[in-house]
Amino acid sequence: MQTTPINTILVTGGAGYVGSVLVPKLLANSFRVKVLDLFLFGADVLQSVADNPDLQLIKGDLRDPIIVKESVANCDAVIHLACISNDPSFELNPELGKSINYDSFRPLVKASKDAGVKRFIYASSSSVYGIKDESNVTEELDLKPLTDYSKYKAMCEEVLEQEREPGFVTLTVRPATVCGYSPRLRLDLTVNILTNHAVHNGKILVFGGTQKRPNINIEDMTDFYINALSYEDALIDGKIYNAGYENHSIMEIAEIVRGVTDESVKIE
């Protein structure tokens, strides 16, 4: 039995790769939704739900305390997706990345608590584990982040645990590499890269191939966030969960992509 009624949700980064699939699903499930995003890639990714009276778009910077306060007001839950979302982008400007991915995090959490938010769901990353010898990476293993991106993801997990208190339920999710179609498509993700190569080049380039990557389809990932809003407080409060499906080598992924797209595609 759920102990926290949730009606209105703030999705930070709601116009991003995952957010632009999640937001329409939230609306379809009768939630009221606020989106806080800079809309750097345009707001048209949410065109399909633009006229929905239960959707409020807030164009603003996560680092702006006034915008954040406005965004969390009257919200029951926050799903925090917004970040500089990969290593190469982060490394273009490490200070900018830190300001968005880490420095703004505690102020967002505190503002959420002050506004009476009851549930905070944080999208961390499976990259916090670093490289492991184990075939299955479980939540009990040590974190050994290898990059600033993953280091700050892990540090935000610690912040969220420090800020957790009765009545403010927190859930940390460590997604595997998300894949699949989104209105705000990303082509820098393993499955999406290889599919792009197969469709447009008729050839898939694989470097190495034995390295393994866990993946999760964007439909499954967004379904998880929907479900996480209805779980009983005691079941998830303060918990950390991996979210993934299958752990394939890059070569196996390339062969799956070839099988789905065109068997004549070469793998080099």
Side-chain angles (χ1 to χ4, degrees), residues 164-180:
R164 183 168 67 93
E165 59 187 35
F168 184 67
V169 173
T170 68
L171 171 64
T172 293
V173 187
R174 294 172 180 161
T177 302
V178 183
C179 61

Side-chain angles (χ1 to χ4, degrees), residues 5-67:
I6 293 173
N7 298 302
T8 303
I9 298 143
L10 170 66
V11 182
T12 69
Y17 176 57
V18 173
S20 58
V21 175
L22 174 62
V23 168
K25 284 189 178 183
L26 289 168
L27 293 167
N29 280 270
S30 300
F31 291 105
R32 291 192 295 271
V33 182
K34 291 183 177 184
V35 170
L36 173 59
D37 202 295
L38 281 170
F39 298 101
L40 293 176
F41 300 93
D44 59 327
V45 296
L46 294 172
Q47 190 63 42
S48 67
V49 291
D51 296 331
N52 192 309
D54 289 329
L55 175 64
Q56 180 183 356
L57 303 182
I58 302 170
K59 185 176 182 179
D61 195 315
L62 191 64
R63 298 167 295 175
D64 182 336
I66 295 173
I67 290 289

